[in-house]
């Protein structure tokens, strides 16, 4: 009750505010409530499959994406399903790697235009970069017209599964021009460096206003997953896994033609940072203009589940996890959409599907924790507590307060979104031109086309009749493939 008495929504001014329909969803009131609001303060829809408009587009997951001049760029990633699931190959064979650089011009009328260039067509002098560009779960960041790629895991040209100690960069205008015309007129713009500072996979890379790059978490995996599992998931000479457990503040600079220099400015260690395969993105800070960053979810805790406290990063401060908030949904890497409302100073991060410790029950209007049952070594009856989901959820953060809501009775048309990308529609107004954070006000009072949900994994976790209420497949035996859906995303704000 003290919380309600102190909440400004319950002052006289607050009561007058609540009398208005739109303000019934006011950010301040929602922040104080423990559950999801009766009506979400943002409608996000992603059910229209337009893959027929993208003939020839690749089916990829765990890839690197960028945008330039209205075109999409995809490098790296995989063409197979989730590793080790549905009796698939537990390892990351090179034969299932994406071996092309893709450029796609989304349709304005008629079909999309799709172009590709083989990575094998790059010069032999870039052999290590070529290997890296055929790995998966790379860290990446687009800094204006330059794309940076760091780390990644995959089978190299010698047949060895490794996490790459490599950072590379490429000029996007040159790359797009070269791929469209089928010519290597862009490799001269590629620069790279080899350094243990960037050796990681399943983490994230972001650049803030101080000019430094922040490498967040991930792990170094060497050897094959098959060997790691055969060793009871303990480090051996043939396979090992080491979580970084830190955030590294890096200086990346040119060291001459084709060369980068990597220097460690500062590192921040915390047990909460020992996570991988999380979601991460830029944020707008409380001043309404400066860039911060955040990481949400991630795996695995000591009990083999997920992290729940978001990590917040800002220039000139020590990054830390918010132990006052526990995220329920989308604990594993999935497509995310970033919106900011200057009127309420609210940062809206929307998650599309993925894997989650919790589900949302539409009938009961509440979160329900996924069961943990059985034994991983058994073929039946094992549920690991981290199922694939088809929900869309949003975290809202304003003035240091956070709440979470789920789109009710409004699901994705399949269990998609994991290791996918949200690609914004052309013409959307950004809060800052150098960041894919969009002004929420442009969606007020109307349904607006916001972009596409591309790629990722499509899973089939339910047995016949394949509804949400049907029995679950045993964890580890869920059929999965690279998604064959491309979904349009629409947003309506009250």
């Amino acid at each position: 009750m003290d919380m309600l008495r102190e909440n400004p929504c319950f002052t006289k001014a607050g009561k007058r505010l609540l009398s208005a329909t739109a303000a019934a969803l006011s950010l301040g009131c929602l922040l104080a409530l423990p559950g999801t609001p009766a009506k979400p303060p943002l409608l996000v829809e992603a059910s229209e499959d337009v893959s027929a408009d993208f003939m020839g587009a690749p089916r990829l997951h765990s890839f690197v994406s960028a945008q330039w001049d209205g075109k999409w760029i995809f490098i790296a990633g995989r063409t197979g399903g989730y590793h080790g699931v549905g009796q698939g190959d537990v390892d990351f064979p090179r034969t299932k790697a994406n071996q092309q650089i893709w450029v796609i011009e989304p349709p304005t009328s008629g079909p999309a235009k799709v172009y590709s260039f083989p990575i094998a067509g790059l010069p032999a002098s870039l052999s290590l970069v070529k290997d890296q560009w055929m790995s998966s779960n790379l860290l990446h960041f687009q800094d204006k017209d330059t794309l940076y790629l760091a780390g990644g895991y995959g089978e190299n040209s010698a047949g060895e599964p490794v996490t790459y100690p490599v950072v590379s960069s490429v000029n996007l205008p040159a790359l797009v021009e070269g791929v469209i015309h089928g010519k290597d007129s862009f490799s001269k713009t590629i620069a790279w460096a080899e350094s243990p500072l960037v050796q990681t996979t399943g983490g994230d890379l972001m650049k803030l206003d101080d000019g430094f790059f922040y490498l967040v978490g991930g792990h170094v995996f060497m050897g094959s997953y098959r060997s790691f599992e055969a060793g009871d998931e303990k480090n051996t000479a043939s396979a090992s896994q080491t979580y970084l457990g830190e955030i590294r503040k890096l200086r990346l600079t040119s060291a001459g033609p084709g060369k980068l220099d990597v220097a460690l400015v500062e590192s921040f260690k915390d047990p909460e940072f020992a996570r991988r395969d999380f979601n991460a993105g830029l944020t707008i800070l409380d001043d309404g203009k400066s860039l911060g960053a955040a990481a949400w979810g991630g795996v695995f805790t000591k009990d083999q589940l997920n992290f729940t406290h978001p990590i917040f990063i800002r220039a000139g401060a020590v990054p830390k996890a918010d132990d006052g908030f526990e995220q329920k949904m989308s604990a594993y890497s999935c497509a995310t959409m970033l919106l900011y409302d200057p009127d309420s100073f609210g940062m809206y991060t929307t998650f599309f599907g993925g894997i989650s410790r919790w589900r949302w029950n539409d009938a009961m209007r509440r979160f329900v924790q996924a069961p943990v049952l059985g034994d991983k070594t058994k073929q039946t009856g094992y549920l690991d507590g981290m199922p694939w989901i088809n929900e869309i959820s949003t975290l809202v953060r304003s003035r240091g307060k956070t709440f979470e809501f789920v789109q009710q009775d409004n699901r994705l048309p399949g269990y998609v979104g994991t290791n996918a990308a949200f690609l914004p529609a052309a013409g959307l107004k950004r809060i800052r031109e150098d960041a894919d954070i969009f002004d929420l006000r442009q969606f007020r009072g109307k349904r607006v086309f916001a972009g596409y949900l591309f790629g990722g994994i499509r899973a089939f976790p339910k047995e016949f009749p394949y509804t949400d209420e049907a029995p679950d497949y045993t964890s580890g035996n869920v059929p999965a493939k690279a998604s064959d859906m491309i979904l349009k995303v629409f947003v309506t704000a009250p």
Side-chain angles (χ1 to χ4, degrees):
M1 291 301 295
D2 289 341
M3 177 180 68
L4 296 181
R5 291 193 194 102
E6 295 171 3
N7 192 310
C9 296
F10 291 86
T11 63
K12 290 182 180 179
K15 289 178 182 178
R16 288 196 299 271
L17 182 66
L18 287 173
S19 65
T21 302
L25 296 174
S26 83
L27 184 61
C29 300
L30 290 173
L31 289 173
L33 298 178
T36 293
K39 182 181 178 182
L42 188 72
L43 176 62
V44 180
E45 303 167 273
S47 59
E48 183 183 349
D49 182 8
V50 293
S51 54
D53 296 334
F54 289 82
M55 298 301 294
R59 297 179 181 178
L60 304 173
H61 69 84
S62 310
F63 51 89
V64 168
S65 64
Q67 306 144 64
W68 186 259
D69 191 28
K71 301 172 182 65
W72 305 340
I73 300 98
F74 303 122
I75 300 173
R78 287 172 51 75
T79 62
Y82 188 71
H83 75 100
V85 170
Q87 307 304 316
D89 197 321
V90 73
D91 286 325
F92 288 59
R94 197 175 177 92
T95 54
K96 295 293 184 180
N98 170 28
Q99 301 186 26
Q100 304 284 325
I101 302 167
W102 296 89
V103 171
I104 297 178
E105 185 175 350
T108 51
S109 61
K113 297 177 181 177
V114 180
Y115 310 91
S116 65
F117 185 90
I119 292 173
L122 296 177
S125 60
L126 294 173
S127 59
L128 196 52
V129 172
K130 291 163 69 173
D131 275 356
Q132 184 204 25
W133 285 19
M134 284 192 281
S135 65
S136 63
N137 296 100
L138 289 82
L139 292 64
H140 61 280
F141 184 81
Q142 181 177 342
D143 184 16
K144 299 176 183 176
D145 65 356
T146 302
L147 175 64
Y148 291 88
L149 307 91
Y153 173 80
E155 192 175 83
N156 64 21
S157 53
E160 303 163 329
V162 300
T163 297
Y164 290 97
V166 174
V167 61
S168 55
S169 67
V170 63
N171 177 267
L172 289 172
L175 182 142
V176 167
E177 182 75 11
V179 172
I180 287 177
H181 291 94
K183 296 180 180 179
D184 175 20
S185 55
F186 59 89
S187 65
K188 59 187 177 184
T189 74
I190 296 174
W192 65 282
E194 190 172 4
S195 169
L197 291 172
V198 294
Q199 186 178 26
T200 186
T201 185
D204 216 292
L205 185 70
M206 289 168 284
K207 185 181 182 182
L208 299 185
D209 289 337
D210 58 5
F212 295 115
F213 287 82
Y214 290 77
L215 186 150
V216 185
H219 64 144
V220 178
F221 199 98
M222 305 298 287
S224 73
Y225 272 78
R226 191 178 303 279
S227 297
F228 191 62
E229 289 186 344
D232 197 27
E233 298 189 358
K234 293 181 173 61
N235 289 351
T236 65
S238 60
S240 63
Q241 178 186 44
T242 305
Y243 283 79
L244 264 64
E246 66 180 3
I247 295 172
R248 294 170 181 166
K249 183 177 178 180
L250 303 176
R251 180 185 289 109
L252 292 179
T253 54
S254 172
K259 297 179 181 180
L260 292 174
D261 183 71
V262 187
L264 179 65
V265 178
E266 196 171 2
S267 66
F268 309 95
K269 295 181 180 294
D270 192 298
E272 281 281 340
F273 302 166
R275 59 178 86 179
R276 62 176 171 90
D277 298 315
F278 45 81
N279 290 296
L282 296 173
T283 66
I284 297 294
L285 297 178
D286 290 343
D287 63 6
K289 57 183 180 180
S290 300
L291 286 180
W296 306 274
V299 293
F300 283 104
T301 58
K302 291 181 179 179
D303 54 3
Q304 292 299 296
L305 295 171
N306 64 284
F307 289 85
T308 61
H309 301 309
I311 300 168
F312 294 104
I313 306 165
R314 59 189 303 163
V318 176
K320 64 178 181 178
D322 179 5
D323 57 8
F325 175 77
E326 291 195 354
Q327 180 181 350
K328 293 288 193 293
M329 304 296 292
S330 295
Y332 197 88
S333 174
C334 65
T336 58
M337 178 178 66
L338 307 176
L339 307 178
Y340 180 75
D341 180 14
D343 294 339
S344 66
F345 297 93
M347 182 72 212
Y348 288 66
T349 304
T350 295
F351 305 89
F352 296 90
I355 299 172
S356 186
R357 181 73 182 96
W358 296 76
R359 299 294 310 271
W360 176 257
N361 187 295
D362 284 318
M364 294 188 288
R365 289 295 190 263
R366 66 181 179 88
F367 295 108
V368 177
Q369 196 172 57
V372 179
L373 297 172
D375 185 340
K376 183 178 181 179
T377 63
K378 307 298 182 184
Q379 291 296 313
T380 60
Y382 172 59
L383 298 176
D384 62 8
M386 297 287 290
W388 304 84
I389 64 170
N390 58 1
E391 285 98 331
I392 303 170
S393 63
T394 301
L395 288 186
V396 185
R397 184 170 175 84
S398 177
R399 305 295 195 187
K401 302 289 186 179
T402 308
F403 78 94
E404 180 177 24
F405 66 87
V406 181
Q407 296 295 315
Q408 300 171 13
D409 305 303
N410 174 24
R411 302 289 181 96
L412 294 163
Y415 290 84
V416 296
T418 301
N419 294 132
F422 169 75
L423 298 163
L428 285 187
K429 182 181 179 182
R430 289 169 164 80
I431 295 295
R432 290 177 40 151
E433 286 304 313
D434 57 351
D436 279 345
I437 303 174
F438 300 94
D439 193 329
L440 181 139
R441 294 173 298 184
Q442 66 195 302
F443 303 102
R444 286 220 169 100
K446 53 188 174 182
R447 185 175 185 258
V448 178
F449 171 50
Y452 296 88
L453 192 64
F454 181 90
I457 295 168
R458 184 176 181 185
F460 301 85
K462 296 291 184 176
E463 298 181 10
F464 183 83
Y466 315 121
T467 63
D468 282 350
E469 294 73 29
D472 294 300
Y473 274 105
T474 298
S475 296
N477 290 316
V478 177
K481 64 180 182 179
S483 180
D484 52 359
M485 290 183 171
I486 300 174
L487 303 177
K488 274 191 168 183
V489 177
F490 293 88
V491 174
T492 308

